[in-house]
Amino acid sequence: MKFIAFNAREDEQQYFEAWEKKNDIQVKTVKGALDSNTLDRTIGYDGVLALQTGVFPNKMFDKLNKNGVKVFSIRNVGVDNLDLEEAKSNGIKVTNVPAYSPNAIAEFSVTQLMQLLRNTTVFRRKVAEHDFRWAPFVGKELRSLTVGVIGTGRIGRAAINIYRGFGAKVIAYDVYPNSELEKEGMYVSSYDELFAQSDVITMHMPATPKDHHLINAETIAKMKKGVYIINTARGSLINTPDLIAALKNGQVAGAALDTYENESPLFNHDLREEELQDKVFSELLELDNVLVTPHVAFYTETAVKNMVFVALDSAKAVCETGTADTIVI
């Protein structure tokens, strides 16, 4: 049994090596992505581990099947960029890491919101310019706000607990409600109801075709004037040009975006010597009421270790037993 891992980062390497030593199973790590040029590197391996939010190669599972691969383990949660039917038809099991660290993402989302509420981006710029005046950038207290949480899985529930700790009123919407939260009467019945009541909207949901551009001009118009929007989920949930317009006219007071619809050419790349070609993204970066981070909400030591270990444990389990606790299909 042996595995190959693509997009293996330096911070993951110690965990790959530790798992390899503990299990006496070869794990080949590759820095580059899994694409049409690297697919042939999977020949002779029982399992493939991948971590990329962008597009995987066309007919990838057909090729992996021919190469003898039995299991495809992603080191993250979302499978929206995988053709699961193709994997199934080729007899390849797909696993994910459903909970590498819900607290990491929940904590980060709250941290970003707190910066927006206290205008730290603006004050950082003003201090750098030696302008030490306060007005007119008065802040807001979280305990006085209503936070609308979309998605109440592990991450959403962790965020709810943190917001409650601040004393905020929390409401939620999920197409698959949590029974305990349901008993507490936390849920509203629709997106529209959540939009109308929330001072803050934070998204902790998967991306589905139905929710593509959930945040757009029409839905933003249903929100309170001066709402804050937090997205640590998926970039495709937001129509960015519509959000930019609302940020400029004041309908949206601020946004914290850890993900962006067209992030693959940008995030986790050193582009300091290059001019950004994405004009929408460039316009977003110019706004003082926006915090953009390069998909790092998950990025803690605990999460990185769990992503590597759980993905490898899952691949091993599938090869040995034909199944795993983290099976997607």
Side-chain angles (χ1 to χ4, degrees), residues 223-236:
M223 299 175 189
K224 286 186 176 181
K225 184 175 177 61
V227 67
Y228 293 87
I229 295 175
I230 315 297
N231 186 13
T232 55
R234 281 290 187 265
S236 61

Side-chain angles (χ1 to χ4, degrees), residues 8-20:
R9 304 185 310 271
E10 288 185 14
D11 55 88
E12 294 178 303
Q13 197 63 41
Q14 63 175 311
Y15 303 118
F16 280 118
E17 291 172 2
W19 190 94
E20 183 179 38

Side-chain angles (χ1 to χ4, degrees), residues 5 85-86 93 139 161 193 204 212 234 246 253 257 291 299 303:
E85 287 303 315
E86 184 195 330
K93 300 293 185 182
N161 289 335
E193 192 174 349
H204 303 287
H212 182 73
R234 281 290 187 265
L257 309 174
L291 288 172
Y299 198 44

Side-chain angles (χ1 to χ4, degrees), residues 38-39 60 66 68-69 74 158 164 170 186 188 206 227 249 267:
T38 58
L39 261 175
M60 176 180 69
K66 292 174 183 175
V69 173
I74 59 171
R164 282 173 159 174
V170 183
M186 180 170 291
V188 294
V227 67
N249 67 29
F267 290 177

Side-chain angles (χ1 to χ4, degrees), residues 230-296:
I230 315 297
N231 186 13
T232 55
R234 281 290 187 265
S236 61
L237 296 171
I238 294 180
N239 181 310
T240 308
D242 287 358
L243 176 62
I244 290 173
L247 285 160
K248 288 182 174 180
N249 67 29
Q251 176 63 21
V252 175
L257 309 174
D258 187 53
T259 182
Y260 172 65
E261 187 168 14
N262 303 307
E263 69 183 47
S264 294
L266 300 164
F267 290 177
N268 208 23
H269 298 290
D270 185 353
L271 304 178
R272 284 177 292 181
E273 305 301 322
E274 301 179 28
E275 182 179 348
L276 297 182
Q277 301 302 309
D278 188 328
K279 302 305 180 185
V280 172
F281 187 71
S282 296
E283 187 175 5
L284 197 63
L285 295 180
E286 292 174 359
L287 300 177
D288 273 341
N289 55 348
V290 176
L291 288 172
V292 175
T293 45
H295 214 136
V296 293

Side-chain angles (χ1 to χ4, degrees), residues 22-44:
K22 177 183 177 182
N23 291 274
D24 195 26
I25 294 173
Q26 179 186 345
V27 181
K28 171 70 174 177
T29 56
V30 178
K31 289 185 178 181
L34 181 56
D35 55 32
S36 57
N37 296 317
T38 58
L39 261 175
D40 282 342
R41 299 189 68 173
T42 64
I43 295 173

Side-chain angles (χ1 to χ4, degrees), residues 308-327:
V308 171
F309 273 47
V310 172
L312 285 167
D313 285 342
S314 299
K316 179 174 180 283
V318 169
C319 289
E320 291 178 340
T321 69
T323 189
D325 293 339
T326 57
I327 283 280

